[in-house]
Amino acid sequence: MSVLTPGFADPVLDAQAIFRAVLEAMSRPGRIQRAGAGLQPPAPMMPSAAAVLLTLADSGTTLWQDAGEDAAAWLRFHCGAPFADAPGEAAFVLATGAPPSVAALNAGTEEEPERGATLIVQVAALEEGAGWRLTGPGIEREHRLAVTGLPPDFVAAWARNRARFPRGVDVILCAGERLAALPRTVAIAEG
Amino acid sequence: MSPVMEGYNFAYLDEATKRMLRRAILKAVAIPGHQIPFGAREMPLPYGWGTGGIQVTAAILGPSDTLKVIDQGADDTTNAVSIRRFFTRVAGVATTERTSEATIIQTRHRIPEQALREDQVIVYQVPQPEPLSRLEPRRAETKRLHSLADYGLMHVRLYEDIARYGHIAKAYDYPVMVNGRYLMAPSPIPAFDNPKMDRMPALQLFGAGREKRIYAVPPYTEVKSLDFEDHPFRPIRAPHACALCGSRESYLDEVITDDRGGRLFVCSDTDYCSGRVALREAAE
Amino acid sequence: MYVAVKGGERAISAAHAWLDETRRGDPALPELTVAQIEQQMPLAVDRVMAEGSCHDRFLAALAIKQAKGDLIEAAFLLRAYRTTLPRFGVSDPLETDAMRIRRRISATYKDLPGGQVLGPTYDYTHRLLDFALAAEGAERAEAPQSEVPAGAVPRVTELLAREGLMQREEATDAEPGDLTREPLAFPAARPVRLQNLARGDEGFLLALGYSTQRGYGGNHPFVGEVRVGHVTVEFTPPELGFPIELGEIGITECQMVNQFKGSRTEPPQFTRGYGLTFGHGERRAMSMALVDRALRATELGEDVTAPAQDHEFVLYHSDNIEATGFVEHLKLPHYVDFQSELENLRTIRAALAREAMQEAAE
């Protein structure tokens, strides 16, 4: 078995800083935050995705991931989150490859929509100022976000996710040491 | 600054509790105005004295933050002092009384007069997060009503006011609709403050410790005070000028000065008021 | 000219210094030690442990000293401390069958296996102030000792169940909920209800239990038994797979036997109300058992007509730490909302006065 790379250098303050980045991302959809500098999670996990899970997942949350054995061992050791058998049963879903369909994930109930899953998707690149036109809560007029590496039907699936509000799935897009978020309220128009 | 207390984690809460709170806060932001139940912990301050706000602040606070705590708009009211001192002791963070210098503002019953910015977060202490509680005390039932967006009860209640008094007689904790979907209690802020919540550039977080719920309004989100077309919402303030700074725009506290009916009115937001007094003195 | 109230910080420090002074009382008298409180006020310690939700006699005694004898304040201190403790695991269920009995009484049978053991009780004492206690250092006669009943003492409810007259409680390995981690949600399962009641305010439980006796949701209770004694706490670490003894704690358990008319699916039989508390707390355990049974109304197909049967009413109002905080928060300033109400009332009164003037003029 290979030696595990470390988690946060300062578990308390690093988690706080990453949480604020994710909170900012979720509050202002499409604005890019930096997260995960210095982390070296096993491939194919990216530093930003690893940082999000270190910050939010633990023994009280279920996790599904497609990142392979090394990543599973790393997550088991650093987060302690129990692995779910299927994406639809998990509170956090990490997709390093082709992400599972948003419709297949837990969307919560009408009374308890907060039980909807958080999908963490690794993508090739994130850039502000071009691409999608995002509108909705958290956005003054319009945010632009260019995402490279999502499946072509993502925007159509997202529209269906948004239509079932308050049920729904929230997404955190990760690219290297950058992340942006799509809360279930955000409307995406292709640029 | 007093030394940081030994033997406790940064910001008092253990990391597992913070993660639980942080997950709840993120879902609250994703579902604006929806109350998220959370496992509120016993805090070393009593329930009803801001434990919800304190837990939210403890979950978001970091060493680079500057914290402002107000109660009734003032930084120097005893409970605001107590909460500020708590965070100084358990997190060693910088504190301020200046609204403009704060990155996190924890508040009870007011929104500062000065408009908040994108780089600020306001955390409200909430005694009763359920806007329908006076009309339906059962949580199982109010959850159902929220799921159906069935807010007829509240409309009837407000309409009864109009029939009886000629206007809606709710003066504080005036119910709002968030993003056109959820009815939300803005906490017992005066209705005067309600318009400040609408499309506010800052993130607004709400913590109710005793009732164990968290909710949020993301930046630039529509917050509409409930009203009727023929009886539009109108915020009330005492029709006077502040005796200290002369403001006719700010929310005023009434102060009784003697037992012969003497009274005067002063700004409830002490930072706003002292800022205006200082400006005037500098100009003179 | 009015000057905004300043100096909150100074006032708080001074007030707390004064509080310390009043706690100490007359310095000419010797200071009360925590050990004295623990030894000589054991029932206060027990109540604070129960409502503070933390079994630690020393900490409970310390909290009582710090709270100047205010037991709700003491329970609050203990709870606030408890939340900062890391959780290593969950103990195995307590085996109250194997309790080392100090006291065990049944009101349903004159004699029964294991016998009636009166133990240290205020029952049958005459409530006359004992002025001899005012004289300190008096000699105390030793209590006579008798044989401790050997072996396990079967429970009355089990004796009834063997005859088919007592509803069986199904054993389950399901993980019970935990109110200290997850907030209450409704419908609340019985383990969560019992946890809530076990931490609940004794006065509240007593009043609710009493109300069931007076006809508000009553179901004819008999004390099947009350037992007081010590049980072993064991923990099974997952990596070992066998239980390890952690120590023993004192508890009181009450099983009430209640009538049940029967339903479409079940024949008439007895049902049970259950109470359990840290330390010696018969009033608490019995009240809890009455309220537990009342809260089972819905699942037993009985009409819910009384406060003690109403889940939300009982479970949301039983916690005295929550209750005291919210009642006492009314002391905090409410100038802002009060001012809104004032302006509102003035507006309404002015409108009424205008209408009255108009009517008089017409």
Side-chain angles (χ1 to χ4, degrees), chain A residues 4-91:
Chain A
L4 289 177
T5 55
F8 285 138
D10 184 333
V12 173
L13 298 184
D14 288 355
Q16 187 275 336
I18 301 296
F19 169 68
R20 282 293 280 279
V22 177
L23 178 63
E24 191 66 11
M26 199 61 86
S27 302
R28 301 174 200 282
R31 291 258 180 94
I32 292 172
Q33 306 294 322
R34 302 200 67 85
L39 279 179
Q40 292 171 313
M45 231 193 318
M46 294 173 171
S48 52
V52 170
L53 286 172
L54 285 180
T55 302
L56 297 175
D58 61 21
S59 59
T61 58
T62 45
L63 171 64
W64 184 90
Q65 52 86 25
D66 66 357
E69 270 315 301
D70 288 353
W74 193 86
L75 288 168
R76 198 177 291 120
F77 181 80
H78 288 298
C79 301
F83 289 119
D85 295 330
E89 292 161 18

Side-chain angles (χ1 to χ4, degrees), chain A residues 16 20 56 112 114 138, chain B residues 23 27 34 60 65 143 219:
Chain A
Q16 187 275 336
R20 282 293 280 279
L56 297 175
E112 296 180 339
E114 68 275 13
Chain B
R23 292 191 293 260
K27 288 300 172 194
H34 170 65
I60 65 175
D65 279 309
K143 262 176 92 170

Side-chain angles (χ1 to χ4, degrees), chain C residues 35-238:
Chain C
Q36 282 171 334
I37 295 171
E38 192 202 321
Q39 287 295 312
Q40 297 175 34
M41 299 191 131
L43 298 183
V45 168
D46 288 345
R47 179 169 179 182
V48 168
M49 291 196 304
E51 290 170 7
S53 217
C54 178
H55 192 287
D56 189 312
R57 305 195 67 80
F58 171 79
L59 292 178
L62 174 63
I64 291 169
K65 177 173 179 175
Q66 188 178 333
K68 298 201 283 181
D70 178 339
L71 300 188
I72 293 183
E73 179 72 23
F76 179 19
L77 287 167
L78 199 53
R79 284 249 197 120
Y81 177 77
R82 178 192 189 283
T83 48
T84 65
L85 299 176
R87 165 173 310 218
F88 297 114
V90 180
S91 78
D92 297 340
L94 299 181
E95 293 291 349
T96 55
D97 280 341
M99 182 188 279
R100 262 87 62 210
I101 301 267
R102 272 156 62 86
R103 170 165 162 79
R104 189 270 192 131
I105 51 157
S106 168
T108 49
Y109 294 102
K110 187 169 180 184
D111 200 5
L112 67 169
Q116 304 261 18
V117 181
L118 208 48
T121 177
Y122 281 99
D123 295 352
Y124 316 114
T125 63
H126 296 151
R127 269 61 171 209
L128 302 168
L129 277 176
D130 180 359
F131 292 99
L133 282 175
E136 284 157 42
E139 287 290 310
R140 185 172 50 85
E142 283 228 341
Q145 293 252 349
S146 65
E147 286 288 304
V148 182
V153 179
R155 286 142 135 187
V156 168
T157 46
E158 183 53 32
L159 301 176
L160 286 166
R162 272 184 220 156
E163 244 187 286
L165 296 176
M166 169 61 75
Q167 189 191 37
R168 280 273 176 205
E169 308 279 348
E170 295 307 324
T172 165
D173 286 329
E175 200 61 37
D178 182 356
L179 288 174
T180 67
R181 303 271 127 176
E182 294 284 326
L184 262 180
F186 293 91
R190 195 166 174 214
V192 167
R193 297 189 324 239
L194 288 170
Q195 184 189 15
N196 175 288
L197 298 178
R199 293 154 46 100
D201 181 71
E202 184 167 317
F204 180 78
L205 297 177
L206 176 65
L208 275 181
Y210 177 47
S211 73
T212 67
Q213 290 180 283
R214 291 193 66 261
Y216 290 86
N219 32 50
H220 305 282
F222 298 95
V223 172
E225 72 172 296
V226 171
R227 53 171 69 191
V228 184
H230 287 84
V231 291
T232 304
V233 180
E234 293 184 322
F235 173 64
T236 305

Side-chain angles (χ1 to χ4, degrees), chain A residues 11-13 15-16 19-20 22-24 26-28 31 53-61 79 91-92 110-118 136-141 165-166 168-170 172 183-185, chain B residues 9-10 15-16 18-20 22-23 25-27 29-32 34-37 59-63 65 103-104 117-121 140 143-144 146-147 179 181-182 199 201-203 205 218-221:
Chain A
V12 173
L13 298 184
Q16 187 275 336
F19 169 68
R20 282 293 280 279
V22 177
L23 178 63
E24 191 66 11
M26 199 61 86
S27 302
R28 301 174 200 282
R31 291 258 180 94
L53 286 172
L54 285 180
T55 302
L56 297 175
D58 61 21
S59 59
T61 58
C79 301
F92 288 96
E110 295 287 342
E111 286 195 5
E112 296 180 339
E114 68 275 13
R115 294 187 184 276
T118 303
I139 299 168
E140 186 174 13
R141 280 183 293 276
F165 187 86
V169 170
D170 308 302
I172 300 173
R184 63 191 78 180
T185 48
Chain B
N9 193 17
F10 176 82
E15 290 303 296
K18 284 186 199 164
R19 278 192 295 273
M20 176 271 295
R22 287 168 179 166
R23 292 191 293 260
I25 291 169
L26 290 175
K27 288 300 172 194
V29 170
I31 315 167
H34 170 65
Q35 303 163 50
I36 316 271
I60 65 175
L61 189 70
D65 279 309
T103 56
I104 297 173
R117 302 181 309 257
E118 284 198 356
D119 60 345
Q120 297 177 308
V121 180
K143 262 176 92 170
R144 198 182 65 84
H146 282 293
S147 77
N179 199 35
R181 173 58 180 81
Y182 279 104
R199 301 186 59 78
L203 171 64
L205 300 175
Y220 304 112
T221 300

Side-chain angles (χ1 to χ4, degrees), chain B residues 8 19 39 41 68 134 136 144 155 205 213 248:
Chain B
Y8 290 94
R19 278 192 295 273
R41 305 295 194 243
K68 172 182 165 84
R134 299 278 169 92
E136 172 49 69
R144 198 182 65 84
H155 283 104
L205 300 175
R213 271 167 267 167
R248 290 187 170 278

